Amino acid sequence: MKKYHSLCPVETTLNLIGNKWKILIIRDLLSGAKRFGELRKGIALTKNQNISQNVLTQNLRELEAAKLIKRKVYAEVPPRVEYSLTPLGEGLKSVLKSLEIWGTSYKNDKL
């Protein structure tokens, strides 16, 4: 398993959510549980590019291992799987809101 902890708390946070896909996955899950396909579509709309199935799967596994998201499998045929934030993952809401505010300000100043 990847080492997430660092002496620097900012580095620890970036180790957990610092790639371009994980932030978008967490952002999409802030509005509630999503299925794999819903996450993939949401990211494609935002980034204007597709995320491969393998890359999305890997990022979901890493976020689950870090206890930021949970995976729920329903006993149906075909099986239904939903992803949602854990309470720990929900704690990132203010972080993402701060990033949104800063990004909006940056875009407005640069236009």
Side-chain angles (χ1 to χ4, degrees):
M1 184 188 292
K2 194 174 184 179
K3 181 183 175 192
Y4 296 113
H5 297 281
S6 167
L7 293 175
C8 173
V10 173
E11 185 178 6
T12 297
T13 305
L14 290 174
N15 289 342
L16 288 163
I17 64 167
N19 77 28
K20 67 181 181 179
W21 303 117
K22 288 178 183 171
I23 281 278
L24 296 176
I25 291 167
I26 292 165
R27 180 211 56 200
D28 286 355
L29 291 175
L30 282 169
S31 63
K34 302 271 188 301
R35 294 176 72 176
F36 188 91
E38 292 174 302
L39 288 169
R40 196 166 179 199
K41 284 179 190 172
I43 291 169
L45 289 173
T46 301
K47 296 284 293 171
N48 218 7
Q49 65 185 33
N50 289 324
I51 181 173
S52 76
Q53 183 172 336
N54 290 341
V55 171
L56 180 54
T57 298
Q58 181 62 37
N59 279 278
L60 288 168
R61 285 180 182 159
E62 289 176 11
L63 288 167
E64 187 178 11
K67 309 268 191 259
L68 297 177
I69 67 170
K70 58 186 170 189
R71 180 179 186 264
K72 184 173 183 179
V73 180
Y74 293 87
E76 300 174 354
V77 177
R80 179 171 51 117
V81 178
E82 286 185 346
Y83 297 90
S84 60
L85 293 173
T86 62
L88 187 61
E90 289 279 348
L92 291 165
K93 185 174 187 168
S94 62
V95 173
L96 268 66
K97 186 63 178 172
S98 293
L99 289 171
E100 177 188 7
I101 291 167
W102 188 90
T104 300
S105 174
Y106 177 82
K107 282 174 36 180
N108 291 339
D109 288 348
K110 291 296 179 186
L111 296 177

